[in-house]
Each structure stands twice: as structure tokens, then as C-alpha cells.
């Protein structure tokens, strides 16, 4: 067995998809050389792809903070120089691969997956931590010793071992999104003092937002943020592989990183792979580095939320709600709405549009997220979504149109409430329970399902409407009225279907429990509910 094996610069390990929808495994240097030929990353999970994207961005930040597009050593001196360098790279439509390769070759010793002193993204100290088998490393399986996944695409021996390329990809994923289960409590050198908890991996704490281009080169470039929100340069780029000391302390609270390559290669976990021959059979794990997430605005790719209205200037990363379509989060995730803070990547794209004059009229914004259960103790879901919109919606010139979009999203929310109330009344008229708990069989449960059905029905139409908005040629009032009409039409159709599925008795209804005054005719009636529902929809459409 070689001490140094599987160098990530040479070995194929990154999964990409080309324009013909063919999937390839490529090396790190090969990816940068042909990024313009690849459509996107194509790993096992969208969350894994995002962890890979951050690694690739860390390389680019490091290289182009020190060298220009021709490979001349020329550190950035001011934001104008940074934007100018970005513009030249963008116009070239492909990376100067020789510049990137030259830098990576200078770091070759730090990119071996197996190394006697510095295995990539690992430290030997992790052997003191929890030991896991291969199924736990594989995010598609995410098994533990006491919870075996019953239905998987992999079984038998294949489940118990990973190739080096697979292990390298999942190494990034676990470091970024690992849950909080089975971490040794740990004590400091001062007896009895417990170490603080790092929580889930850093990316697992975020509501991730990023831009997507027409190919992998464009995606990387759009997310290559060359300056801070305040217009200043970031600090000296210091990716993890350039550190002279190998981080090995368990659960280490560190200062907020001052540069993006350090942030993007944050070691949220201490990991060490176990191998048998040419296969990885498991790994050891400890808690790693973490920092205070409050106002950690160095992180540009997350939604922010103010959890305490009494402290209006304090924000923390806010995870996406997997039960909501991405466009419903637009006010907080993309557009500048009252009381929210835009992600740094959106502010960067705005700067590209307004100052660098980024070509192209439409932008594609994507999100990915991990959903955890029981205080982040285990992963329950992985999901992704995307939106395409006219670029001017986030520029300084798009204020009027942002209002159109925000108003239209608010209109959807208003109509969804009318659907909810209508569905609840119809169910009560049919004999449903008026319990406030949304348990199966209650009117509230029926109403929630109707509301979810409504949002599913308007999902594709709203995306088409949003994508078709063209502030350069459209009239804002007409387009907003157009959506109100379509939204109300979908709600009416759903209401008709609910009524058709209702029994005859519900049309006449039933007296409300405890209502003895016959003169007031206090009753639940599907017919009355339908009349109120239709009247409410008409009033909303005409407002």
C-alpha cells in the first residue's frame, strides 16, 4: 500500500454532465480545463454538488486573488481591479487552465486522498472519535448502526465499501452537512469542562442560495464573488490546504473567517477514512471548527432571518422550508422586501448587472437544503429548487417590477387563505371535526391539504409567468392583473372540484354544535361557503 495515493489533481473523481447529457468523472485540473464544455456538476445529490462547488470556488478565489488572467503574479489592490479581473475572465468564456493548473501543481502534496501526514480534508486525530462504516459515509444511504435503510439503490457488498472517487465526494458532503448524532461529548484539558457543540455542519445550517449559468464555467463565475458587500476586498485567501498546521482539536470555536476560500473549506468535522485495499470501508469522525453564526455576513450564500424583532440588526442563517416552493420565499431569498436582508450572492449579481454590465437578460437562481429531525440529530430530507427571472428584477432599475412580483406572491397567499377557509367550512358541513388540531380527519387537516393542492396547481403557472416577465417591453399593471386572473381561475376550479366531491347533505349543512337559537340559523353549509368563496375571489381579482 502506497503512503501517497489517489491525487485529486489527476484522478477522475468529480462527476459532471455535458451538453449531450452524458455523465463523466473528471479530475480537478481537468474540470477547470473543460468547465465551459460541461453543463453542470452531477454528483449523487444536489447538496453534494454544492459542497463540490464551494471547493472549486475556493480554488478560483485563491488563484485569481493573486494572479491575473495571463498568469502574472498581480495581487488585487482594490475593488475596481477585482471587478476588472472578473470581467476579463467572463469575456474569455473559459478559464485560463494553465494558470489554475500551475497553482494546483504547487499544492500537489496537499491533494492526496491518502497521505502519511496530510490526507486531503482529513486528520489522523479523528481516530479518537466515533467510528462509522461505509453506509453512513454514503449520503444516499445515510445508515447508522441502529437504523438500516430498507429501500436503497445499493445493496450487499457494494453498500459496505466505496471507491476512492466516491469516498472523496462524500468526504466533502459529510464535512459540510453532517448531523449532530453520535459525537463524543469530549472534555477540555481542564477536567470536567465540556467542549461546546459545533452543531450540524456549516452548510447544513444554511438556506443555500446560488446562481446557475448556461454551463459550469458560467456557474462558477457567477458565484465568484470578488468583493465584500461594503465594496471592500476580502482578506488574504487562505484555503485549508495551505495551512501549515493540520487542524486536529475537537470542537474548536474559531474567529469568523475573513476570506471566502477559508470559509468554503471550513472543516466542520474531523474525518479520517478507513480503507481496505482499493476500497474505503468507513471513517472516524469528531466535531470540528465552528464560529458564531449571528451576523456572519462573510457567508454570501444563505437566506438570513431576524429571530428577535427587538434586535433589528441581528440576523442568523435561515433554512429553507421544504414544504414551500422556492418562489414563495422570493421576498426573503432574492428580492429586497421590508425587514429582510438579501443574501450576499444576490447583492453581487446586482453589482454585476448594474456596474459590470453582465450580458444576458435572464438569471437562474437555485437553492439546495438538508432537512434535519430532532434538533439536527438525523437527516430526514434533501431537496433543491430553482427559479428563472429577468435580471433587472434584482437591479436598481427594477424597483417597480419587484413590487409587481412581491404583490403577486402576496396575492397567492391571500387566495390560499380563502381556499383554506372554504375547504374547512365544506368539511365541517360534511360532518368533519372542528378540533383545532390538524390531525387526520379534522376539518383543519382537510383545509391544509386543499391549500397545499392549490399551491401545487399554481406552481408551474407562476413560474412561467415570472420567467416571462420582461420589464423592457411589458406593462407592470397588465402583467400583475394577468396573474391575478389566472390565480383566481385556478382557485375557482379547485373550489368546484371540492364541491363536486361533497355529499348532498353538506349542501344543506348542519347546525353548529351548541347552537340552539334557530332564528340565527347558525349552521355549516357548503352552499353558503361556496357563495362566500366565489364572492371573495371576485373581489380579490378586481381590487
Amino acid at each position: 500500500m502506497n503512503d501517497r495515493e489517489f491525487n485529486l489533481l489527476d484522478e477522475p473523481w468529480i462527476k459532471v454532465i455535458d451538453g449531450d447529457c452524458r455523465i463523466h468523472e473528471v479530475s480537478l485540473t481537468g474540470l477547470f480545463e473543460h468547465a465551459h464544455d460541461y453543463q453542470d456538476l452531477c454528483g449523487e445529490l444536489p447538496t453534494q454538488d454544492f459542497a463540490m462547488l464551494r471547493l472549486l470556488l475556493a480554488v478560483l478565489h485563491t488563484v485569481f486573488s493573486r494572479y491575473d488572467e495571463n498568469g502574472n503574479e498581480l495581487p488585487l489592490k482594490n475593488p475596481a481591479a477585482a471587478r476588472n479581473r472578473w470581467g476579463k475572465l467572463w469575456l474569455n468564456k473559459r478559464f485560463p487552465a494553465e494558470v489554475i493548473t500551475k497553482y494546483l501543481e504547487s499544492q500537489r502534496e496537499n491533494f492526496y486522498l491518502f497521505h502519511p501526514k496530510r490526507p486531503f480534508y482529513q486528520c489522523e486525530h479523528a481516530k479518537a472519535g466515533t467510528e462509522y462504516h461505509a453506509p453512513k459515509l454514503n449520503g444516499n444511504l445515510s445508515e447508522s448502526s441502529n437504523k438500516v435503510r430498507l429501500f436503497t439503490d445499493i445493496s450487499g457488498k457494494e453498500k459496505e465499501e466505496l471507491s476512492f472517487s466516491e469516498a472523496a465526494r462524500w468526504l466533502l458532503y459529510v464535512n459540510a452537512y453532517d448531523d449532530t448524532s453520535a459525537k463524543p461529548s469530549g472534555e477540555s484539558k481542564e477536567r470536567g469542562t465540556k467542549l461546546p457543540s459545533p452543531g450540524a455542519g456549516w452548510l447544513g445550517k444554511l438556506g443555500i442560495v446560488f446562481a446557475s449559468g448556461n454551463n459550469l464555467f458560467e456557474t462558477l463565475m457567477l458565484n465568484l464573488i470578488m468583493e465584500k458587500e461594503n465594496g471592500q476586498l476580502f482578506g488574504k485567501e487562505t484555503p485549508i490546504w495551505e495551512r501549515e498546521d493540520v487542524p486536529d482539536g475537537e470542537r474548536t470555536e474559531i474567529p469568523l473567517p475573513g476570506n471566502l476560500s477559508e470559509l468554503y473549506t471550513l472543516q466542520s468535522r474531523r474525518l479520517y477514512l478507513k480503507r481496505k485495499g482499493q476500497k474505503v470501508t468507513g471513517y472516524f469522525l469528531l466535531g470540528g471548527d465552528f464560529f458564531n453564526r449571528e451576523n456572519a455576513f462573510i457567508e454570501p450564500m444563505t437566506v438570513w432571518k431576524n429571530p428577535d424583532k427587538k434586535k433589528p440588526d441581528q440576523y442568523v442563517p435561515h433554512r429553507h422550508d421544504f414544504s414551500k416552493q422556492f418562489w414563495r420565499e422570493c421576498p426573503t431569498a432574492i428580492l429586497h422586501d421590508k425587514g429582510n436582508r438579501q443574501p450576499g450572492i444576490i447583492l453581487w449579481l446586482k453589482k454585476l448587472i448594474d456596474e459590470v454590465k453582465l450580458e444576458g437578460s435572464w438569471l437562474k437562481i437555485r437553492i439546495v437544503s438538508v432537512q434535519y429531525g430532532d434538533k439536527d440529530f438525523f437527516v430526514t430530507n434533501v431537496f433543491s429548487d430553482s427559479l428563472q427571472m429577468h435580471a433587472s428584477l434584482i437591479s436598481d432599475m427594477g424597483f417597480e417590477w419587484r413590487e409587481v412580483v412581491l404583490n403577486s406572491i402576496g396575492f397567492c397567499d391571500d387566495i390560499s387563505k380563502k381556499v383554506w377557509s372554504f375547504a374547512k367550512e365544506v368539511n365541517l358541513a360534511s360532518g368533519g371535526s372542528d378540533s383545532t388540531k390538524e390531525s387526520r380527519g379534522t376539518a383543519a387537516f382537510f383545509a391544509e391539504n386543499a391549500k397545499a393542492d392549490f399551491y401545487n396547481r399554481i406552481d408551474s403557472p407562476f413560474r412561467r409567468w415570472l420567467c416571462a416577465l420582461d420589464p423592457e417591453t411589458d406593462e407592470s399593471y397588465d402583467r400583475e392583473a394577468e396573474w391575478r386572473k389566472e390565480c383566481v381561475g385556478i382557485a375557482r376550479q379547485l373550489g368546484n372540484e371540492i364541491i363536486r366531491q361533497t355529499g348532498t347533505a353538506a349542501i344543506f349543512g348542519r347546525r353548529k354544535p351548541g347552537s340552539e337559537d334557530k332564528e340565527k340559523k347558525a349552521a355549516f353549509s357548503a352552499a353558503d361557503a361556496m357563495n362566500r368563496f366565489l364572492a371573495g375571489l371576485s373581489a380579490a381579482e378586481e381590487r
Side-chain angles (χ1 to χ4, degrees):
M1 186 182 299
N2 297 327
D3 288 339
R4 293 169 171 80
E5 195 166 356
F6 203 81
N7 194 285
L8 302 179
L9 306 187
D10 310 319
E11 300 286 351
W13 67 288
I14 305 173
K15 297 185 79 171
V16 296
I17 186 169
D18 64 21
D20 296 322
C21 295
R22 294 175 298 186
I23 298 175
H24 310 268
E25 278 192 359
V26 299
S27 66
L28 192 56
T29 53
L31 182 142
F32 288 115
E33 184 176 358
H34 298 286
H36 55 286
D37 295 324
Y38 303 133
Q39 186 175 341
D40 204 352
L41 295 168
C42 193
E44 285 81 351
L45 291 174
T47 39
Q48 184 199 83
D49 286 338
F50 184 74
M52 186 71 71
L53 182 73
R54 300 264 283 201
L55 173 68
L56 301 175
L57 288 171
V59 173
L60 294 175
H61 277 290
T62 304
V63 172
F64 294 114
S65 68
R66 304 173 188 177
Y67 305 95
D68 66 13
E69 67 280 1
N70 297 314
N72 300 313
E73 189 170 352
L74 189 63
L76 295 171
K77 294 183 179 180
N78 53 61
R83 292 193 293 272
N84 182 59
R85 184 167 298 176
W86 187 96
K88 289 181 177 179
L89 290 169
W90 176 261
L91 290 175
N92 197 40
K93 298 186 183 301
R94 61 190 298 168
F95 289 118
E98 63 282 357
V99 179
I100 301 172
T101 299
K102 183 178 180 180
Y103 165 76
L104 288 173
E105 284 294 337
S106 72
Q107 300 293 319
R108 171 170 288 275
E109 196 72 5
N110 299 321
F111 281 86
Y112 282 99
L113 190 62
F114 303 102
H115 190 279
K117 294 182 179 179
R118 296 194 60 144
F120 183 78
Y121 263 50
Q122 301 165 72
C123 71
E124 195 167 3
H125 179 71
K127 288 182 178 180
T130 305
E131 182 177 2
Y132 292 104
H133 298 299
K136 178 67 174 176
L137 180 61
N138 188 330
N140 272 334
L141 299 175
S142 192
E143 288 184 0
S144 64
S145 58
N146 60 1
K147 188 188 77 170
V148 178
R149 181 168 290 191
L150 299 178
F151 304 105
T152 69
D153 296 329
I154 306 171
S155 61
K157 188 177 180 180
E158 290 184 14
K159 194 169 71 170
E160 301 301 325
E161 57 188 26
L162 299 171
S163 67
F164 291 166
S165 61
E166 289 176 307
R169 293 192 296 271
W170 289 118
L171 182 67
L172 299 182
Y173 175 87
V174 172
N175 179 67
Y177 301 99
D178 187 43
D179 56 41
T180 60
S181 65
K183 309 299 179 291
S185 59
E187 293 187 354
S188 68
K189 294 180 181 179
E190 298 178 8
R191 186 177 178 184
T193 304
K194 287 196 173 184
L195 298 171
S197 171
W202 175 244
L203 296 190
K205 298 174 182 177
L206 309 182
I208 296 168
V209 181
F210 64 107
S212 182
N214 295 316
N215 55 47
L216 186 52
F217 164 77
E218 289 191 3
T219 296
L220 287 165
M221 285 298 301
L222 290 173
N223 293 286
L224 186 64
I225 303 171
M226 300 292 280
E227 60 182 85
K228 296 179 182 178
E229 294 178 17
N230 61 7
Q232 301 299 309
L233 293 179
F234 292 102
K236 180 182 177 182
E237 299 293 343
T238 54
I240 186 63
W241 53 79
E242 287 191 0
R243 284 185 57 170
E244 294 183 3
D245 60 315
V246 179
D248 60 5
E250 181 189 354
R251 301 185 178 197
T252 305
E253 186 167 5
I254 63 172
L256 187 68
N259 63 91
L260 292 181
S261 62
E262 181 184 358
L263 175 70
Y264 291 170
T265 58
L266 177 74
Q267 302 295 281
S268 291
R269 296 292 184 263
R270 309 279 185 245
L271 291 139
Y272 193 80
L273 296 178
K274 297 191 303 177
R275 63 179 292 191
K276 184 177 182 181
Q278 295 300 302
K279 296 290 185 179
V280 170
T281 58
Y283 66 106
F284 298 94
L285 182 143
L286 281 172
D289 296 338
F290 66 100
F291 49 81
N292 187 350
R293 62 180 183 152
E294 188 175 276
N295 288 357
F297 299 136
I298 186 72
E299 174 54 66
M301 299 182 181
T302 186
V303 176
W304 296 94
K305 182 179 182 180
N306 172 225
D308 187 350
K309 301 302 181 183
K310 295 180 180 179
K311 300 177 180 178
D313 296 325
Q314 292 187 3
Y315 293 85
V316 294
H318 180 58
R319 290 168 174 162
H320 298 295
D321 184 347
F322 81 101
S323 66
K324 290 184 177 181
Q325 296 87 349
F326 178 32
W327 57 264
R328 294 169 63 187
E329 289 189 316
C330 260
T332 54
I334 300 178
L335 305 178
H336 198 308
D337 194 17
K338 297 178 182 178
N340 79 308
R341 181 184 178 86
Q342 288 181 288
I345 181 61
I346 301 300
L347 296 174
W348 168 247
L349 293 172
K350 175 178 175 295
K351 188 166 293 187
L352 292 180
I353 295 166
D354 292 340
E355 298 182 23
V356 185
K357 305 303 179 184
L358 180 67
E359 61 192 45
S361 298
W362 275 264
L363 280 176
K364 186 177 183 180
I365 309 298
R366 296 167 62 183
I367 65 169
V368 296
S369 193
V370 171
Q371 179 191 4
Y372 299 89
D374 193 17
K375 298 181 180 179
D376 298 350
F377 200 70
F378 52 87
V379 173
T380 59
N381 194 14
V382 170
F383 59 97
S384 61
D385 201 351
S386 64
L387 271 183
Q388 187 162 310
M389 65 182 67
H390 200 278
S392 64
L393 288 177
I394 65 171
S395 74
D396 284 337
M397 297 180 294
F399 175 78
E400 178 185 356
W401 283 92
R402 284 201 298 274
E403 289 299 305
V404 169
V405 175
L406 292 171
N407 290 341
S408 298
I409 293 172
F411 185 79
C412 295
D413 291 339
D414 291 342
I415 299 301
S416 75
K417 294 174 184 176
K418 296 181 187 300
V419 169
W420 190 93
S421 298
F422 165 69
K424 181 181 179 182
E425 287 186 47
V426 170
N427 187 263
L428 289 172
S430 302
S433 169
D434 197 18
S435 172
T436 56
K437 296 182 179 179
E438 293 177 6
S439 56
R440 187 176 297 276
T442 65
F445 181 81
F446 181 80
E448 279 298 315
N449 284 340
K451 180 179 176 180
D453 189 6
F454 167 73
Y455 272 118
N456 286 334
R457 292 180 184 219
I458 66 171
D459 183 38
S460 293
F462 185 87
R463 291 173 190 270
R464 288 195 297 268
W465 174 83
L466 179 63
C467 184
L469 289 183
D470 190 344
E472 296 176 2
T473 60
D474 294 344
E475 291 292 336
S476 59
Y477 178 83
D478 292 342
R479 296 310 304 273
E480 188 174 347
E482 174 189 307
W483 173 248
R484 289 202 303 268
K485 180 178 180 180
E486 184 170 8
C487 182
V488 165
I490 294 171
R492 283 197 184 103
Q493 182 179 0
L494 176 58
N496 288 330
E497 292 178 17
I498 291 174
I499 283 292
R500 285 198 297 268
Q501 295 168 7
T502 302
T504 305
I507 303 298
F508 299 100
R510 66 188 179 96
R511 185 176 299 169
K512 294 181 180 179
S515 177
E516 303 299 335
D517 189 347
K518 296 182 181 181
E519 294 300 321
K520 292 183 178 180
K521 298 182 180 179
F524 297 115
S525 166
D528 290 343
M530 187 65 175
N531 288 334
R532 286 192 295 272
F533 179 59
L534 293 176
L537 292 180
S538 296
E541 183 182 353
E542 294 170 2
R543 72 183 186 187

